[in-house]
Amino acid sequence: MYGYFRQYWNDNRLVGRSNQTIVLNGDDISKVWKPDPFCYNARDSTLSKGDHDINSMMSIDPNGDIIYSRMTIIVAECNMELHDFPMDTQKCSLKFSSYTYNENLIKLSWVKGTPATVAAKSLAQFYFKKLETRKYVEQYELGNYSVVEVEFYFSRRLGYFLIQVYAPDIFIVMLSWIVFWMDRNDMGNRMALGITTILTIMFLMGSINAAMPRVSYPKALDWYLMISFALVFLALIECTFVFVLLKKKQKKKKQKTEIKSKKCPPLERVLWVNENSCPRKRDSKTNWSEETRDLIETSPGNGKQKSIIAHLSLQELNNKTDTHKQMTETHEHDDDKGIDCTVDNLAKGLFPLIFLGFNILYWSLYLKLLE
């Protein structure tokens, strides 16, 4: 804090010594008695420096009234309460007392009217709200000392955190919902998107807390990021759960298909021949019709390979093709009606509703603190 520290007192020893006001500065001020105030909570202060090292001025009236003003720079500590960060209001104080003289020798008090003023009320991260002054006596082993204290109240600016944290976090959470519309068989891309969003939120949490005091309680911003992290993580768990359900369903369908294929009746026109007599290529001895297709399957038998040649007419082949298409369409239609599809459809509506409800509750609670 940079400011001007002014002290007013009356010294009876200087009454009548001059018929006009005397102004002193620099080393001349050290020839006159003056109080020795210090700041309790200052880590660094120019109050203890000599007048030759800093700008200072002393005015002495003929009646003994003295005004002592000096430029002062104070770096003070402020115990902050960060439960509501970044919608918090902070109270910082400066506490002054005499280091040498107890209450019986010096009694400190604030001047009447406006004892303290703040010139720069708009700071980078805070709005200045008000200040309060008070005086009291503190007891120590060496005696009682008069104390004056000024308290400054600041409200934190929210704009920086809306741009740098809240808005990116909302978009990241919404980005994690894309997995619900992706192909359920594309597990790799779904997992990659979910892990990327998790790492991004973890980076946001780390970057914000790195510049904050290490407190042992969660802040309001931490709650927002933790809930967002939980929703993104649950989306990743949902992808894994849907993939497991899909694989189980596909395994059951495969087993049913195998059972049905075993129960299928053999083709009517089947010709069993030895491998040596199986016509691999068209030749002059074999009369192949232009309207037929050959379905060739091999099966082991007595140490030699045998072949089955089934001659199907084009009409039969078309019938088979139509049947296969119907079964494929039926399977695809069944895929859309599976539990895995139901879970994905449920997540498409449930996750946005949860996040919307959380935002309504969160902002309605904490925005009241800014009013």
Side-chain angles (χ1 to χ4, degrees), residues 38-47 73-77 93-96:
F38 78 101
C39 184
Y40 276 80
N41 56 327
R43 293 195 172 186
D44 188 16
S45 172
T46 59
L47 288 175
I73 300 175
I74 298 177
V75 179
E77 62 181 15
S93 63
L94 294 175
K95 184 178 175 183
F96 301 96

Side-chain angles (χ1 to χ4, degrees), residues 29 43 68 70 90 125 147 210 248 259 261 312 370:
I29 297 177
R43 293 195 172 186
Y68 176 42
R70 59 181 291 159
Q90 299 297 336
Q125 294 190 32
V147 178
K248 288 184 178 180
I259 294 173
S261 63
L312 303 178
L370 297 177

Side-chain angles (χ1 to χ4, degrees), residues 96-109:
F96 301 96
S97 180
S98 174
Y99 187 83
T100 305
Y101 306 104
N102 58 26
E103 182 191 16
N104 297 327
L105 299 175
I106 289 182
K107 291 184 178 180
L108 301 179
S109 63

Side-chain angles (χ1 to χ4, degrees), residues 93-359:
S93 63
L94 294 175
K95 184 178 175 183
F96 301 96
S97 180
S98 174
Y99 187 83
T100 305
Y101 306 104
N102 58 26
E103 182 191 16
N104 297 327
L105 299 175
I106 289 182
K107 291 184 178 180
L108 301 179
S109 63
W110 295 103
V111 296
K112 296 180 180 180
T114 306
T117 58
V118 177
K121 297 184 179 181
S122 181
L123 306 177
Q125 294 190 32
F126 293 93
Y127 293 105
F128 174 75
K129 298 181 68 176
K130 63 177 181 178
L131 64 82
E132 295 178 353
T133 57
R134 60 191 181 119
K135 64 177 184 177
Y136 52 93
V137 176
E138 283 194 347
Q139 298 180 354
Y140 297 94
E141 293 181 358
L142 299 178
N144 299 333
Y145 288 82
S146 179
V147 178
V148 291
E149 185 177 7
V150 55
E151 296 176 339
F152 304 92
Y153 291 84
F154 300 94
S155 178
R156 195 180 302 272
R157 292 176 180 268
L158 188 59
Y160 171 82
F161 300 96
L162 286 175
I163 298 171
Q164 298 294 329
V165 182
Y166 285 105
D169 179 81
I170 291 173
F171 286 117
I172 290 169
V173 174
M174 294 174 65
L175 181 64
S176 68
W177 302 337
I178 295 178
V179 297
F180 304 143
W181 282 267
M182 295 175 66
D183 186 6
R184 293 186 293 277
N185 285 303
D186 194 4
M187 184 61 175
N189 288 331
R190 295 184 78 168
M191 292 292 291
L193 179 59
I195 293 173
T196 301
T197 52
I198 286 178
L199 294 177
T200 306
I201 290 183
M202 291 179 65
F203 172 77
L204 281 176
M205 296 174 67
S207 61
I208 292 299
N209 290 321
M212 296 297 299
R214 279 135 177 97
V215 295
S216 58
Y217 51 83
K219 303 178 285 293
L221 183 60
D222 293 334
W223 284 116
Y224 194 90
L225 292 175
M226 285 190 292
I227 295 298
S228 300
F229 177 86
L231 289 174
V232 173
F233 184 75
L234 288 175
L236 187 63
I237 296 299
E238 190 271 349
C239 291
T240 306
F241 181 66
V242 167
F243 184 73
V244 172
L245 292 176
L246 181 64
K247 288 302 178 183
K248 288 184 178 180
K249 185 176 69 174
Q250 291 176 348
K251 185 177 180 181
K252 290 181 180 179
K253 287 184 178 180
K254 185 177 180 181
Q255 292 175 352
K256 290 181 180 179
T257 304
E258 291 176 354
I259 294 173
K260 289 181 179 180
S261 63
K262 292 179 181 180
K263 295 181 179 181
C264 288
L267 297 173
E268 294 180 358
R269 290 178 286 175
V270 177
L271 177 62
W272 292 85
V273 295
N274 290 330
E275 183 181 6
N276 295 331
S277 61
C278 179
R280 297 292 181 178
K281 299 181 181 179
R282 184 187 300 268
D283 53 26
S284 58
K285 296 181 180 180
T286 307
N287 185 17
W288 297 92
S289 172
E290 292 291 335
E291 298 179 354
T292 59
R293 293 289 185 268
D294 300 334
L295 177 62
I296 302 176
E297 298 179 359
T298 60
S299 60
N302 298 326
K304 294 183 179 182
Q305 293 291 332
K306 292 184 178 181
S307 299
I308 304 173
I309 305 176
H311 304 285
L312 303 178
S313 65
L314 282 176
Q315 184 177 0
E316 292 173 344
L317 183 60
N318 291 334
N319 293 337
K320 284 252 176 213
T321 304
D322 294 339
T323 304
H324 177 72
K325 288 182 179 179
Q326 292 176 1
M327 293 177 63
T328 303
E329 292 175 356
T330 304
H331 289 169
E332 292 176 354
H333 187 64
D334 291 341
D335 288 343
D336 294 337
K337 292 184 177 180
I339 301 178
D340 52 332
C341 182
T342 303
V343 174
D344 259 353
N345 291 332
L346 183 63
K348 291 176 184 178
L350 185 60
F351 275 75
L353 284 177
I354 293 176
F355 191 59
L356 178 61
F358 166 70
N359 274 275

